[in-house]
């Protein structure tokens, strides 16, 4: 059985922490953190796309997915 996730929205949305949008900086190393509880993740994304805009979108999606997965715990 294949686990395929369908995403209808093309804009990544971060799960709120303590009712507040977390701060996010996207790049080769993306950092997302909560100002209230100081929860933080750092995600390193290797170069994948030549086009800088596509690479940045890739970095944002990877970081957002990691944050949202962490917030499930």
């Amino acid at each position: 059985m294949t686990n395929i996730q369908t995403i209808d929205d093309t804009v990544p949305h971060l799960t709120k922490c303590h009712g507040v949008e977390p701060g996010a900086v996207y790049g080769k190393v993306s950092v997302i953190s909560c100002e209230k509880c100081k929860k933080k993740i750092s995600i390193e994304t290797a170069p994948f796309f030549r086009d800088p805009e596509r690479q940045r979108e890739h970095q944002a999606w990877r970081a957002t997915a990691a944050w949202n997965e962490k917030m499930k715990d």
Side-chain angles (χ1 to χ4, degrees):
M1 180 179 210
T2 304
N3 183 10
I4 298 174
Q5 181 180 9
T6 301
I7 300 173
D8 295 326
D9 190 353
T10 59
V11 178
H13 296 282
L14 294 167
T15 301
K16 291 182 179 182
C17 187
H18 296 95
V20 178
E21 284 284 332
V25 177
Y26 302 110
K28 181 179 178 188
V29 177
S30 298
V31 179
I32 301 175
S33 60
C34 175
E35 291 292 321
K36 286 193 172 187
C37 72
K38 306 302 181 200
K39 191 180 291 186
K40 173 181 165 180
I41 64 163
S42 297
I43 302 295
E44 186 171 354
T45 303
F48 189 77
F49 294 99
R50 279 187 199 191
D51 179 17
E53 289 181 29
R54 286 184 180 254
Q55 180 63 25
R56 179 136 165 96
E57 182 179 0
H58 180 58
Q59 293 161 342
W61 272 106
R62 280 184 36 93
T64 299
W67 174 264
N68 290 345
E69 188 63 33
K70 180 175 180 140
M71 294 308 293
K72 288 181 183 178
D73 298 336

